Amino acid sequence: MQNQTRTSEKNIENAAEIVIYSISTGFIDIPGHTSINIYAQGCKNNCKGCHNPEFRSFEGVAPVKISDIQTIIKKHLLADWICWLGGDITYQPD
């Protein structure tokens, strides 16, 4: 049963996509650590003083496979955190 679960999770992981604005590395968002910064695309909150208003739109950016993001993360050996920024990733629940 456990192998079936892992296989199902892997199939979902390979098929799953998210829309991101960019991926970068940084030191600022988590002081004292090197992070992979994944900026989600799309947000409906319209917060006053939004830090990234250019990420609000849900248009114009192609989805990226989760497996591709995992590959990018594995290439950054010095990063010890993953920082989700945005936009708001919660608008992409799948």
Side-chain angles (χ1 to χ4, degrees):
M1 183 69 159
Q2 189 174 15
N3 287 340
Q4 289 177 347
T5 301
R6 286 185 183 163
T7 302
S8 297
E9 287 173 1
K10 188 169 185 161
N11 290 339
I12 290 169
E13 194 173 273
N14 288 335
E17 296 179 327
I18 62 171
V19 180
I20 59 169
Y21 186 86
S22 67
I23 298 176
S24 64
T25 56
F27 303 98
I28 296 171
D29 295 302
I30 303 174
H33 296 275
T34 303
S35 62
I36 299 288
N37 301 322
I38 303 174
Y39 292 85
Q41 180 69 36
C43 184
K44 296 179 184 177
N45 295 324
N46 293 317
C47 298
K48 184 178 179 179
C50 175
H51 185 68
N52 297 318
E54 64 275 20
F55 301 166
R56 287 182 185 161
S57 173
F58 288 87
E59 303 290 325
V61 180
V64 177
K65 290 184 179 181
I66 297 294
S67 58
D68 292 338
I69 293 173
Q70 289 172 326
T71 300
I72 292 167
I73 290 168
K74 288 177 185 176
K75 289 180 181 180
H76 290 86
L77 300 176
L78 297 177
D80 56 354
W81 282 85
I82 298 171
C83 188
W84 289 93
L85 303 159
D88 189 339
I89 197 66
T90 61
Y91 286 104
Q92 301 183 54
D94 294 338

